[in-house]
Amino acid sequence: MIVNKKRGIATVGSVTAVLLLAVGCGSSENGARNANSVQPAGAGKALGGAYDTGYGAGGYGAGGAAPAAGSGSGSDVGSGSDKGGPAGQLAVRDIASVGSVVTDSAGMALYRFDKDTPQPPKSNCEGDCAVTWPAVPADDASAAAGIDASLLGSVARADGSKQLTLAGWPVYRYAKDTKAGEAKGEGVGGTWHALAPDGKKAVDKKQKADGNGGMAGMEMKSGAELSVADNEKLGKILVDGQWRTLYRFDKDSAWPMKFGCLGACLDTWKPAPAVDKSKAEGISGKLVGSVKRPDGSEQLTIDCWPVYTFTGDTEPGQANGHNKQGLWFAVTAEGKKVPPTV
């Protein structure tokens, strides 16, 4: 280990992923902390075991190598085959956890990026980002029933190629989707979302259509990005602005802050985006923070623990991820994990 005492920075071997702790991160549970500390993520080795069913995974993957950092776009480089081919005839497919999603002719989910703009259309996904999120060519794209053909268009990319747009939004595939009907890219980095037929986010439309379905026993807060819900089984637990249960992972660490959910784990457990503290209800602002992930995205932390949503929760109010593999737990209003025996 090489330590630069003047700057207080520790560099460990070839570790590339470091976590910047949020100011004010600390509680009685975790003791006194230096908010300016920088810690290595996992000391260059896996933090846990095999990926198993994808509900919880340890470390950086089987080889123990840290994933390449993204361009701040929520990228998470996958090993999928070339996905830069023509879209063919677009269709609409129902994916249980996401809703009605636009797919290409092969049934692969199509996505939009929150950092792009629809008016005028502009793609902000280049370089490494475009490896993970291949742009869908505008050539040979047509609309099937359920999609308004007038919403299809194109935008010129930096390399001069034409990318398909839907309602102005540039359209992408996700490298980690390996078969029809998957939507592993939904929610990645808090900025990537499967497309609905009108160009909006499929998951948002699903939640509006569901109304309060699945929320029995829940008392929700409107307009909040983070709030406390009264779950009939677990008691008072934290939920995000879309009323999804938030979870913490025992293979993460609050101090020193480390990530145990990386790689394939992120297909099932989505990092919750950072929130505005002023829009948090029912929880002390001192417990609310954020941390930068290896891909550059900002993840919400509760009492210094990174928190996630679970793709197995298909309706607002569900908490199917609680005590999954004995490692994942819903979070109380005090920032503690809900006991597994609840």
Side-chain angles (χ1 to χ4, degrees):
M1 178 179 290
I2 302 172
V3 179
N4 184 329
K5 294 183 178 179
K6 183 176 181 180
R7 294 187 178 185
I9 299 176
T11 304
V12 182
S14 61
V15 175
T16 58
V18 295
L19 310 180
L20 302 179
L21 299 185
V23 174
C25 186
S27 74
S28 58
E29 178 186 14
N30 298 312
R33 295 168 179 162
N34 181 351
N36 297 317
S37 296
V38 179
Q39 295 291 331
K45 63 182 180 180
L47 297 177
Y51 285 113
D52 194 23
T53 60
Y55 286 131
Y60 295 124
S71 58
S73 59
S75 61
D76 185 28
V77 178
S79 57
S81 59
D82 177 24
K83 291 182 170 59
Q89 187 176 57
L90 305 183
V92 180
R93 180 170 186 154
D94 186 65
I95 298 177
S97 61
V98 184
S100 295
V101 174
V102 177
T103 69
D104 63 13
S105 58
M108 304 303 291
L110 301 180
Y111 299 87
R112 51 175 270 183
F113 182 32
D114 283 353
K115 294 185 180 180
D116 288 348
T117 58
Q119 298 296 334
K122 185 179 186 304
S123 170
N124 288 305
C125 180
E126 303 286 349
D128 289 344
C129 174
V131 175
T132 304
W133 303 93
V136 177
D139 299 338
D140 193 37
S142 61
I147 302 174
D148 185 349
S150 68
L151 295 179
L152 301 185
S154 66
V155 62
R157 294 183 59 78
D159 61 5
S161 63
K162 295 288 187 179
Q163 181 176 2
L164 177 67
T165 62
L166 179 61
W169 288 97
V171 179
Y172 305 84
R173 296 183 180 95
Y174 183 42
K176 283 194 170 183
D177 286 342
T178 57
K179 60 184 179 182
E182 290 185 333
K184 294 179 179 178
E186 169 57 41
V188 169
T191 55
W192 290 93
H193 299 281
L195 274 161
D198 59 359
K200 295 182 179 179
K201 301 173 187 179
V203 68
D204 286 352
K205 295 181 72 67
K206 173 179 171 60
Q207 287 162 357
K208 288 181 180 179
D210 288 345
N212 290 333
M215 293 175 61
M218 305 289 286
E219 182 181 352
M220 307 309 303
K221 306 290 185 180
S222 61
E225 294 182 0
L226 174 67
S227 59
V228 178
D230 189 6
N231 183 281
E232 59 183 353
K233 293 183 179 180
L234 305 182
K236 294 186 181 299
I237 59 174
L238 293 179
V239 294
D240 69 3
Q242 297 176 356
W243 309 317
R244 295 174 298 192
T245 299
L246 296 173
Y247 302 90
R248 57 185 257 188
F249 184 34
D250 274 0
K251 288 190 178 181
D252 284 346
S253 173
W255 184 259
M257 194 176 283
K258 298 177 183 178
F259 291 124
C261 184
L262 295 155
C265 175
L266 297 174
D267 295 335
T268 303
W269 301 91
K270 305 298 184 180
V275 304
D276 182 345
K277 287 185 180 183
S278 67
K279 295 183 180 179
E281 297 184 2
I283 180 173
S284 169
K286 294 180 179 179
L287 297 177
V288 181
S290 66
V291 63
K292 183 174 287 187
R293 292 191 62 84
D295 64 12
S297 62
E298 292 287 336
Q299 181 174 1
L300 173 66
T301 62
I302 301 297
D303 196 23
C304 297
W305 284 88
V307 291
Y308 306 77
T309 56
F310 178 47
T311 57
D313 289 339
T314 58
E315 294 183 353
Q318 292 183 339
N320 297 322
H322 180 66
N323 199 27
K324 202 52 108 166
Q325 291 189 321
L327 296 171
W328 293 89
F329 300 95
V331 183
T332 71
E334 295 73 38
K336 314 296 184 184
K337 68 181 184 183
V338 176
T341 54
V342 171

